[in-house]
Amino acid sequence: MIKLVLSDMDNTLLPFGERHVSKRTVDAIHAVQEQGIDFGPASGRERGELASFFQDDASCYNTGVLCNGQKIYFNGQIVREVYIEREYLDKVQDVVLATPHTAMITYRPDSHGDWVGIRKDELSFMYERAFKVGGTWHVRLPEYPVIKAGIVHMGTQEQLVQFQRQLREAVPECDFANTVVHWLDVTPHGWSKADGVRYLAQALNLSLDEVCVFGDAANDLAMLRLVPNSCAVANASDEAKASARYHIPACADDGVAWALEQIAQAGRTYNQTGVEVMPRFMVQGDGAIRRCGSRERRFRR
């Protein structure tokens, strides 16, 4: 039975560039929570950025796998943080500063961003999308502990892919996932949302088959491959679709909300009857029904 749901944000839970998730999505999140099922974002974004997307409804983001698994929350409390080494960030910064049409951003704990490279006018519409709570330009990035970092490249997609290869060769200690247009996530090499999902599931005393994840892009692949109940939205990349077990409607059509409503109904059936049923969209063949044991769990730090 599904007991924890984690969803990517951009182009999975809401279209990239939209200011808020839909009312249907928020209602569906509340519906699963009412059945004792935890929900949280599995996002490259930080908690401060997520607040605006959910219009400060903290119940929607108090639990989550954030910063691509480098920061994990449960009930509003940080339970794990993984920082990026400063020497690696400096190497990335050197490559960025030598590349036209490019900026590098690091984020403070309050989600305020610091950036180097191209100025605000060259960032164009990406300024608002990269800096939800403001940003400051610098000649060199200030030194402070960094969990979340990213790169804006305002060239063509072909140029971005070429630049991505250049970064991988110059800084093998980091990974650079192209998650949305003009953007690369910067993460420690080998680290992914999958690490965060695994850690949170273990902390909640859950098996991975009690977790359901939703995604669409490169930084979701490891998570989609890890969790048996993995779902890709219809607008996902071909690689994400191939990595997911289930396919649901597109982000723009509230695909995740559609699936959450069915997860909530399955939870309601269990709570009322003690019989476990799979959400409708997961049912294949006759959709096996079985009795399940206690849903009791505890949080382990």
Side-chain angles (χ1 to χ4, degrees), residues 4 6-8 40-45 50 61 63-73 191-201 223:
L4 172 65
L6 297 165
S7 177
D8 173 58
S43 175
R45 295 185 180 274
L50 298 176
Y61 57 88
T63 293
V65 173
L66 309 185
C67 302
N68 291 310
Q70 292 170 242
K71 199 165 189 176
I72 302 169
Y73 283 86
W191 195 267
S192 73
K193 292 181 183 181
D195 298 282
V197 171
R198 186 185 290 109
Y199 183 90
L200 183 58
M223 174 179 75

Side-chain angles (χ1 to χ4, degrees), residues 151-164:
I151 296 170
V152 175
H153 185 82
M154 295 304 293
T156 65
Q157 182 63 24
E158 183 179 349
Q159 290 171 326
L160 177 63
V161 170
Q162 189 174 26
F163 177 59
Q164 186 181 36

Side-chain angles (χ1 to χ4, degrees), residues 3-301:
K3 299 179 183 178
L4 172 65
V5 179
L6 297 165
S7 177
D8 173 58
M9 291 294 298
D10 295 300
N11 290 329
T12 299
L13 206 64
L14 82 167
F16 183 57
E18 289 292 323
R19 298 178 65 85
H20 309 299
V21 300
S22 69
K23 182 180 183 303
R24 180 182 180 185
T25 297
V26 172
D27 288 345
I29 291 170
H30 291 165
V32 298
Q33 292 171 333
E34 287 167 3
Q35 302 310 315
I37 301 166
D38 286 317
F39 171 87
S43 175
R45 295 185 180 274
E46 242 287 23
R47 193 166 183 269
E49 299 176 87
L50 298 176
S52 64
F53 291 127
F54 292 105
Q55 299 185 74
D56 296 321
D57 182 348
S59 68
C60 297
Y61 57 88
N62 266 339
T63 293
V65 173
L66 309 185
C67 302
N68 291 310
Q70 292 170 242
K71 199 165 189 176
I72 302 169
Y73 283 86
F74 179 74
N75 282 347
Q77 300 298 312
I78 298 171
V79 296
R80 191 173 191 184
E81 296 177 298
V82 176
Y83 292 88
I84 307 174
E85 295 287 343
R86 179 70 199 196
E87 64 178 295
Y88 305 155
L89 292 172
D90 284 340
K91 290 170 69 174
V92 176
Q93 182 175 194
D94 290 340
V95 177
V96 166
L97 288 173
T99 306
H101 317 301
T102 308
M104 179 179 178
I105 305 165
T106 56
Y107 294 88
R108 298 175 184 268
D110 63 359
S111 296
H112 184 92
D114 298 286
W115 93 94
V116 297
I118 57 176
R119 299 298 188 106
K120 183 176 179 179
D121 59 336
E122 295 178 84
L123 285 171
S124 183
F125 65 91
M126 284 299 292
Y127 179 85
E128 296 296 333
R129 296 181 183 182
F131 299 105
K132 292 295 180 183
V133 295
T136 304
W137 182 87
H138 302 268
V139 175
R140 296 284 299 186
L141 288 168
E143 294 196 22
Y144 52 82
V146 172
I147 293 177
K148 176 176 169 56
I151 296 170
V152 175
H153 185 82
M154 295 304 293
T156 65
Q157 182 63 24
E158 183 179 349
Q159 290 171 326
L160 177 63
V161 170
Q162 189 174 26
F163 177 59
Q164 186 181 36
R165 292 195 199 102
Q166 181 186 351
L167 282 166
R168 287 170 175 163
E169 292 175 3
V171 195
E173 300 89 350
C174 292
D175 290 331
F176 307 92
N178 177 205
T179 54
V180 293
V181 63
H182 300 302
W183 179 266
L184 299 173
D185 282 330
V186 181
T187 56
H189 176 63
W191 195 267
S192 73
K193 292 181 183 181
D195 298 282
V197 171
R198 186 185 290 109
Y199 183 90
L200 183 58
Q202 290 174 347
L204 293 174
N205 200 26
L206 300 177
S207 64
L208 288 176
D209 62 6
E210 294 175 303
V211 181
C212 180
V213 298
F214 297 88
D216 77 293
N219 65 338
D220 300 318
L221 299 179
M223 174 179 75
L224 292 170
R225 292 165 181 160
L226 173 72
V227 177
N229 297 311
S230 59
C231 312
V233 287
N235 55 282
S237 69
D238 290 342
E239 197 170 6
K241 289 177 181 176
S243 300
R245 181 176 182 179
Y246 302 106
H247 299 139
I248 65 171
C251 171
D253 296 324
D254 280 335
V256 175
W258 174 86
L260 288 175
E261 290 161 357
Q262 296 173 51
I263 292 171
Q265 181 57 54
R268 189 175 299 110
T269 297
Y270 170 73
N271 288 330
Q272 292 175 351
T273 67
V275 176
E276 180 181 336
V277 297
M278 294 295 286
R280 289 196 314 275
F281 74 94
M282 292 184 179
V283 174
Q284 298 176 347
D286 61 0
I289 299 177
R290 62 185 176 85
R291 293 270 176 184
C292 63
S294 170
R295 300 178 70 227
E296 181 179 352
R297 57 197 164 130
R298 67 181 184 278
F299 182 73
R300 301 196 307 257
R301 291 193 181 245

